[in-house]
Amino acid sequence: MKLFPIRGGIHPDYRKELTSEKPIVALPLPRLLYLPVQQHMGAPANITVQPGDQVKKGQVLAKGQGAVSAPIHAPTSGRIAEIANITAPHPSGLPQNTIILEPDGKDEWGDLPEPLADPFAATPQQIKDRVAGAGIVGMGGAAFPSAVKLGLGGSHKLEILLLNGAECEPYLTCDDRVMREYADQVVDGARIMAHALGTPRIVIAIERNKPQSLELIKKAAAAFANIDVADVPVQYPMGAERHLTQAVTGRETPARKLTADIGVVVHNVATARAVHQAVRFGRPLISRIVTVSGNAVREPKNIEVPLGTKVAELIDFCGGLAETPRRIISGGPMMGQPLPDLDVPVVKGTSGILALTAGEVNERPVQPCIRCGSCVSICPCGLVPVEMAAVIRHENMDAAVAWGVMDCVSCGSCSYICPSHIPLAQYFNYAKGRLNEQDRERRKRDLVKRLVEERAARLEKAAKAKREAAAARAAAQAAQAATAEANRVNP
């Protein structure tokens, strides 16, 4: 199929050979599982169990709340040991409300929803409800609740379901292995999602450095005339949904808009497999494939991991550390987040755990900008990173917005290419955090102002009612007095 060029981009050292030929292996159940109630974008789930409860595999432990949320299920059978604040897999290192499950070793399934015998005879709402009930979120790392995206067909005119198999981040090969080992499940999940969305066409996009995945997905999709498989160029950040959409369709997503606004919905290939499992078998999302890699790891692997497993147990399963890592990252090296330590759990959005040596990190002292323009030429969003960084250094957030910082996708290409080693992406992430904080403060002030005004209006209304009641009583008393006086004068 015809492809379209995308702006900018880079070609980092991908280092996928560390794990690309390593088949998926299952991690034995750990002694304890740590399940944070916030494993997705949106509102945290509400806990429905208590310490001491016996639970079965697949049982709901916390229900989603609100329009954007997702439930949490038990990855195995066992006992709820504790509910406590545990360090989250986030660079802040802040604690998060967490359900601690002690497996009983039986791995017994609880009652699951009945499989949909024919998903293509089901209504879109039935599929959406099944995906929501299974707790499925975007497994490319964003962890946005998948059922919400599956509901976009009701508000947008959709033409294409674009399945993202680009996996452009260096080191990561979990999606590659999912496509190689579960190609039929990926394709079936894509067809189910397309049915729910009402999209007549499916495109599965895979970077050309994954020839086995391309071959196997093409074979699995050959029987379906509405599925195209696109072999997109190896170009970071090809896996960003806006850029992948442009490469496949030629359509550019307007700033502050969704790809759905131009008729395209993007889902990850691992998400498609999870949808297949939920719809065909009633199974919730309780495990995921994680790439454990980096030169500090003795035996890099692709592992199917029960959610809630601590990162330290993955490292041990890979033979431990060959040397002290300079940095430990959740996700890929370009857009992933540094972890505070190994004592944090794997969650639904954990695509990779990288233990990188000093040589891989290649940290160097920051030097003054030489105005070379490299960051401008490679920015896939057409921004001017050097100018954005300059105004952010002076805390001029209004100017940063004017330069387009909120359109930055945080791909890190500018930081990678900068000859002065300026951490440009960190500036932009800082600015977006400050702007979000300011927005929250503004909304908080607006809310407080509205509440104060509403309270003042209620008090004034009550005071007015009291005044009117007092006036009415006085008038009644005056009328009674006048009547009494008239009766006295004219008995």
Side-chain angles (χ1 to χ4, degrees), residues 24-46:
I24 298 167
V25 292
L27 182 78
L29 278 172
R31 188 179 67 83
L32 292 172
L33 294 170
Y34 300 81
L35 300 156
V37 297
Q38 180 78 68
Q39 298 191 33
H40 49 268
M41 291 182 66
N46 284 325

Side-chain angles (χ1 to χ4, degrees), residues 302-318:
N302 285 297
I303 310 172
E304 181 145 22
V305 183
L307 298 178
T309 303
K310 286 199 170 181
V311 169
E313 304 211 35
L314 273 68
I315 298 293
D316 289 343
F317 187 66
C318 293

Side-chain angles (χ1 to χ4, degrees), residues 19-346:
T19 55
S20 61
E21 300 307 315
K22 302 287 183 68
I24 298 167
V25 292
L27 182 78
L29 278 172
R31 188 179 67 83
L32 292 172
L33 294 170
Y34 300 81
L35 300 156
V37 297
Q38 180 78 68
Q39 298 191 33
H40 49 268
M41 291 182 66
N46 284 325
I47 296 175
T48 57
V49 292
Q50 297 179 350
D53 286 355
Q54 295 292 326
V55 298
K56 294 294 182 68
K57 185 175 182 179
Q59 180 177 327
V60 174
L61 305 182
K63 291 184 177 180
Q65 59 171 332
V68 181
S69 189
I72 307 296
H73 300 79
T76 188
S77 56
R79 182 182 68 88
I80 304 301
E82 188 180 357
I83 296 172
N85 284 328
I86 301 295
T87 302
H90 186 273
S92 68
L94 295 175
Q96 189 177 112
N97 205 18
T98 302
I99 301 166
I100 303 174
L101 172 62
E102 181 181 7
D104 59 13
K106 299 177 182 178
D107 205 33
E108 291 180 342
W109 282 98
D111 295 331
L112 297 178
E114 285 294 324
L116 295 177
D118 182 2
F120 304 103
T123 66
Q125 188 62 47
Q126 285 176 309
I127 293 173
K128 179 183 171 184
D129 290 345
R130 176 59 59 89
V131 170
I136 298 172
V137 303
M139 300 185 66
F144 189 81
S146 300
V148 178
K149 291 179 78 171
L150 288 181
L152 291 173
S155 57
H156 296 75
K157 182 175 174 54
L158 302 177
E159 302 170 30
I160 298 173
L161 166 63
L162 178 55
L163 214 58
N164 187 350
E167 197 171 46
C168 61
E169 275 271 13
Y171 291 93
L172 300 186
T173 59
C174 51
D175 285 350
D176 185 15
R177 294 308 312 186
V178 164
M179 290 186 286
R180 288 206 224 178
E181 299 184 39
Y182 304 108
D184 290 335
Q185 295 183 26
V186 170
V187 170
D188 184 62
R191 294 181 63 231
I192 293 170
M193 288 194 290
H195 173 67
L197 288 163
T199 52
R201 185 180 172 208
I202 300 169
V203 178
I204 305 175
I206 306 170
E207 277 193 339
R208 291 169 187 161
N209 60 357
K210 304 172 185 62
Q212 295 94 335
S213 289
L214 278 163
E215 180 183 353
L216 290 166
I217 293 292
K218 283 180 179 178
K219 182 179 178 182
F224 308 106
N226 67 327
I227 302 181
D228 292 313
V229 180
D231 56 335
V232 295
V234 181
Q235 179 180 353
Y236 182 87
M238 183 61 74
E241 67 172 22
R242 291 168 177 251
H243 301 95
L244 191 63
T245 297
Q246 185 174 359
V248 169
T249 68
R251 305 172 191 174
E252 187 168 356
T253 308
R256 312 295 175 84
K257 295 289 185 180
L258 303 172
T259 59
D261 292 312
I262 58 171
V264 181
V265 171
V266 183
H267 279 280
N268 176 265
V269 290
T271 307
R273 180 190 174 223
V275 168
H276 162 85
Q277 294 281 332
V279 173
R280 296 286 189 182
F281 304 103
R283 297 173 187 164
L285 180 58
I286 55 175
S287 67
R288 67 155 298 141
I289 314 302
V290 178
T291 298
V292 182
S293 191
N295 286 331
V297 179
R298 290 188 187 279
E299 303 169 15
K301 290 181 171 73
N302 285 297
I303 310 172
E304 181 145 22
V305 183
L307 298 178
T309 303
K310 286 199 170 181
V311 169
E313 304 211 35
L314 273 68
I315 298 293
D316 289 343
F317 187 66
C318 293
L321 296 171
E323 61 179 273
T324 302
R326 180 67 183 86
R327 187 174 299 163
I328 300 170
I329 296 174
S330 174
M334 301 298 292
M335 296 184 71
Q337 296 290 341
L339 292 177
D341 53 48
L342 298 178
D343 200 32
V344 296
V346 169

